[in-house]
Amino acid sequence: MVRFGSSGIRGLANVDVIPELALDVGRAIGALYGDVVVGRDPRLSGRMLSYALQAGVLAVGGGACDAGITSTPTLARGVGGYGCGAVITASHNPGEYNGIKLWNPDGMAFSTEQQEEVERSLDARDWKAARWDETGRHTERADLPGRHREAILRAVGSAEVHVVVDCGCGATANVTPYVLREMGCKVTALNAQMDGHFPGREPEPTEANLAALRTAVPALGADLGIAHDGDGDRMVAVDEKGAFVGGDKLLALFAKQRARRGLVVPVDASMAFDDALDVPVYRTRVGDVYVAQEIKRRGADFGGEPSGTFIFPSETMCPDGPLAAAILVSLVKERPMKQWLAEIPAYPIVRSSIPFEAAARTAVLGSMGPALATLHADEVTTVDGWRLAFSDGWALVRLSGTEPRVRVTAEAREVARAKEIHDRVSEAVRRALP
Ligand code: MG
């Protein structure tokens, strides 16, 4: 049984995510949506899965267009004119993984309802083989990375700063270094050769994985460092001194610049947003697709996640790492990164996780709400787990999706208060466990 998560289908390549699965996903979306444009990141299993998916689309009479290696936002921006789009990628996962993520013509990721429709089609094998002379037409195009770069140039304009870009050997290597140079930057590129072995670093742009970039930026006297994940829907940065600037800080920086009507962030995002901004802050389930849907629903003008995904809806509904990089560069042209970050409050966060017996999951879910109610929070929201808001801090209680653990996050303006909230909430969580 195949199931989509918030990031589409994901698993070990050629073990979980096999050509037969890609073939059937192709048949299902070909039958439901017609013509499909397909991109992939440079993973070694990418071509195998992309070809299988395209074959499935053709087999039910849809047209399949092979867009070659594209970042996720490059492909998502190119779906207009097709029934839907597919990217073969496992995003920030290591090289042995791969996956399939589906996109709408307006650049939005498939909603939960759309993914469930595809799942039902896969379960029921709900498609009809086309007659031999009615199989779909196959095309290729190689212009999507160029179109992506042009769109970014139109949106952002010029900036002459020295920037070091670490593409992690991923799919952004044909977008970000070029577009920043076209903007007028002096660009030094690291790991800009696409290579599915990811020989430069792991695809996830964490502080630990970016040692080379953190060294290179101050050593070269550059103004800024930029890093992406494997498929380019994420962007993080390094300041002129070589300090890591994570997605949480960038989210706050962009929000301050861009959010005028409303800001959308997931439930685990900092309360610094509420303190530093004068716009309504809407919180969603964790996952960029939920952020995008809420931006559309609320008419908000910016949203993103602390993991480093940023959505600028005036440009595209897909989290676009290269666009975020260009916007950050244009900000750094005005003032050094350190000055921008000085305006953003940073509050202490305490995190922990509490294990429970896997078999007790349903019981834990049932008893958690009443146990947390005894804490008398000002507000409890349950869009994703339980978020307890207090006047001077908050806590989030979520069951991990991958292991039998309850994750507790607490934040306050003072360290002692964050710890106190964390400990009280953890105590209540333990009472809810059998
Ligand atoms: Mg990604």
Side-chain angles (χ1 to χ4, degrees), residues 72 89 91-92 229-234:
T72 290
T89 178
S91 188
H92 54 277
D229 67 338
D231 69 325
D233 55 1
R234 289 196 195 184

Side-chain angles (χ1 to χ4, degrees), residues 39-381:
R40 60 186 157 89
D41 72 16
R43 284 165 201 274
L44 300 184
S45 56
R47 202 183 285 269
M48 169 185 86
L49 295 169
S50 177
Y51 288 177
L53 188 141
Q54 291 174 53
V57 174
L58 298 172
V60 298
C65 176
D66 188 348
I69 296 184
T70 63
S71 79
T72 290
T74 302
L75 192 284
R77 281 169 174 267
V79 183
Y82 299 90
C84 73
V87 188
I88 310 296
T89 178
S91 188
H92 54 277
N93 286 62
E96 60 263 41
Y97 287 81
N98 215 332
I100 303 170
K101 192 160 179 177
L102 302 174
W103 297 90
N104 285 298
D106 66 353
M108 281 278 272
F110 266 31
S111 66
T112 309
E113 294 72 28
Q114 286 179 293
Q115 294 192 345
E116 285 168 359
E117 188 184 27
V118 177
E119 287 172 355
R120 280 196 298 276
S121 173
L122 289 168
D123 289 345
R125 303 189 67 76
D126 189 13
W127 51 72
K128 230 177 85 201
R131 212 175 64 177
W132 68 273
D133 56 352
E134 284 172 358
T135 53
R137 197 167 83 90
H138 187 258
T139 51
E140 291 174 14
R141 64 187 298 180
D143 62 332
L144 291 186
R147 291 170 65 116
H148 189 184
R149 296 198 298 268
E150 283 161 23
I152 292 173
L153 278 176
R154 276 197 304 275
V156 183
S158 68
E160 287 159 32
V161 301
H162 183 183
V163 52
V164 186
V165 182
D166 181 350
C167 297
C169 299
T172 50
N174 62 17
V175 182
T176 310
Y178 294 95
V179 78
L180 296 181
R181 194 184 309 118
E182 286 158 13
M183 283 170 66
C185 293
K186 177 179 175 187
V187 176
T188 307
L190 300 179
N191 302 317
Q193 81 284 21
M194 293 190 193
D195 186 336
H197 288 282
F198 298 108
R201 62 164 168 89
E202 286 298 321
E204 186 165 13
T206 59
E207 181 168 7
N209 288 340
L210 298 180
L213 181 65
R214 287 189 283 123
T215 306
V217 173
L220 294 166
D223 303 297
L224 174 71
I226 294 284
H228 294 299
D229 67 338
D231 69 325
D233 55 1
R234 289 196 195 184
M235 189 272 294
V236 297
V238 164
D239 74 10
E240 64 273 22
K241 299 269 192 278
F244 178 73
V245 184
D248 51 347
K249 293 203 180 86
L250 294 172
L251 187 59
L253 201 169
F254 288 137
K256 226 173 161 196
Q257 298 303 311
R258 292 284 176 141
R260 293 290 171 268
R261 293 190 303 274
L263 168 70
V264 178
V265 292
V267 285
D268 61 347
S270 170
M271 64 191 282
F273 294 106
D274 308 84
D275 285 4
L277 299 172
D278 292 327
V279 298
V281 180
Y282 306 107
R283 287 190 157 79
T284 69
R285 287 175 68 186
V286 175
D288 59 73
V289 55
Y290 306 118
V291 173
Q293 284 170 9
E294 190 73 0
I295 288 175
K296 208 172 198 181
R297 202 166 76 86
R298 301 283 190 178
D301 38 15
F302 177 69
E305 296 191 289
S307 59
T309 60
F310 312 107
I311 300 173
F312 301 92
S314 60
E315 295 304 314
T316 172
M317 294 308 292
C318 170
D320 189 327
L323 171 67
I327 292 173
L328 185 63
V329 162
S330 70
L331 289 173
V332 168
K333 180 185 75 170
E334 291 168 34
R335 300 159 67 190
M337 184 80 133
K338 267 206 152 39
Q339 283 186 23
W340 285 112
L341 295 177
E343 293 175 358
I344 294 158
Y347 298 141
I349 289 189
V350 186
R351 289 189 175 91
S352 68
S353 71
I354 304 166
F356 60 87
E357 286 296 323
R361 193 178 176 91
T362 312
V364 171
L365 279 170
S367 53
M368 194 61 72
L372 295 173
T374 62
L375 298 174
H376 303 293
D378 296 343
E379 194 188 350
V380 179
T381 40

